[in-house]
Amino acid sequence: MTVTSQSSGKRRLPLLLLLIALAIAGAIALSVYVSNFLLGREPSVRTSVGGPFRLPSSKGELLSSADLKGKPFAIFFGFTHCPDVCPTTLWDMSQSLERLRAGGLGLPVLFVSLDPARDTPQVLASYIDAFDTQIVGLSGTSDEIAKLARAYRVYWKRVPGKDGDYTLDHTATVYLMDARGQFAGTIGYGEEASSRDAKLRRLIAGEPSAVGHSGS
């Protein structure tokens, strides 16, 4: 009888441990849900894109996110020594802005330099002069630019060249921000003009269909 009792006890032990583990997991899940509810957030995890800024602009004045409150805008990160991606993107955006303007529409497009050591506001002003007047260049200190780039989940890396020169690898995405300063989607590098224009029109109109999609 003693042997039978011990064997039965051994069989019940794994089941007891499983029930305890399930109870602990349930308690943790409940506490996370309650915490999120009390903080006014849904339990799901959402990646935020964007953040506040106040930086010297190519217009010769400081521009801040507060200045753009109530206005949708597009923002792109690059540098003036960029051989192809940056000038191509700025040209594409200039063409879109021209077409939008024909319909009485428009929005600010921000070009944030990831190379502030070389791209002063004056350099940016000269560079952007070749593109649409609604495009504004932003520079700043290395720390300010790094903080903003991280807030937008931008990748960038300095790549050494010859004779102390260098270039940058970086994200080639235009970020679309709505009138509340919330992330509303992206425009990909080389995206078709019709898709690009449609996204900008939806952004200006405040249509939720533009939110969170990189497609048209």
Side-chain angles (χ1 to χ4, degrees):
M1 292 295 293
T2 302
V3 173
T4 303
S5 176
Q6 289 176 344
S7 176
S8 176
K10 290 179 180 179
R11 288 197 299 270
R12 287 197 297 269
L13 184 57
L15 178 60
L16 179 60
L17 292 176
L18 176 61
L19 291 175
I20 292 174
L22 289 174
I24 292 173
I28 293 173
L30 179 61
S31 66
V32 170
Y33 180 87
V34 171
S35 297
N36 285 327
F37 179 79
L38 292 175
L39 291 172
R41 298 195 301 268
E42 294 181 5
S44 59
V45 177
R46 296 180 179 179
T47 302
S48 62
V49 175
F53 60 86
R54 188 170 183 266
L55 299 170
S57 80
S58 57
K59 302 292 185 181
E61 56 191 12
L62 291 173
L63 179 69
S64 73
S65 49
D67 297 327
L68 298 172
K69 188 175 181 179
K71 303 175 185 177
F73 64 93
I75 182 169
F76 174 71
F77 293 77
F79 64 118
T80 64
H81 286 70
C82 180
D84 43 31
V85 172
C86 298
T88 298
T89 297
L90 293 176
W91 176 253
D92 287 347
M93 293 300 291
S94 294
Q95 296 298 297
S96 289
L97 289 171
E98 185 176 345
R99 288 188 291 269
L100 289 173
R101 193 157 43 245
L105 301 174
L107 80 168
V109 175
L110 309 182
F111 175 57
V112 182
S113 175
L114 294 167
D115 187 18
R118 294 187 295 192
D119 293 342
T120 64
Q122 293 76 21
V123 170
L124 285 171
S126 178
Y127 182 77
I128 290 175
D129 189 54
F131 303 103
D132 194 273
T133 56
Q134 285 187 280
I135 298 177
V136 179
L138 294 177
S139 187
T141 67
S142 296
D143 288 343
E144 289 172 330
I145 296 301
K147 180 179 179 181
L148 185 60
R150 287 194 294 267
Y152 275 88
R153 305 297 189 263
V154 170
Y155 164 82
W156 79 104
K157 179 182 179 181
R158 179 166 167 157
V159 180
K162 295 181 179 180
D163 302 323
D165 195 11
Y166 62 91
T167 186
L168 297 174
D169 286 341
H170 63 90
T171 298
T173 298
V174 176
Y175 298 87
L176 305 178
M177 310 300 289
D178 66 20
R180 299 172 300 165
Q182 301 296 311
F183 175 66
T186 62
I187 293 175
Y189 176 62
E191 191 164 329
E192 292 185 2
S194 58
S195 174
R196 187 170 65 244
D197 291 0
K199 288 181 180 181
L200 292 173
R201 289 193 182 95
R202 291 200 299 268
L203 180 67
I204 294 169
E207 295 179 8
S209 58
V211 174
H213 296 288
S214 59
S216 58

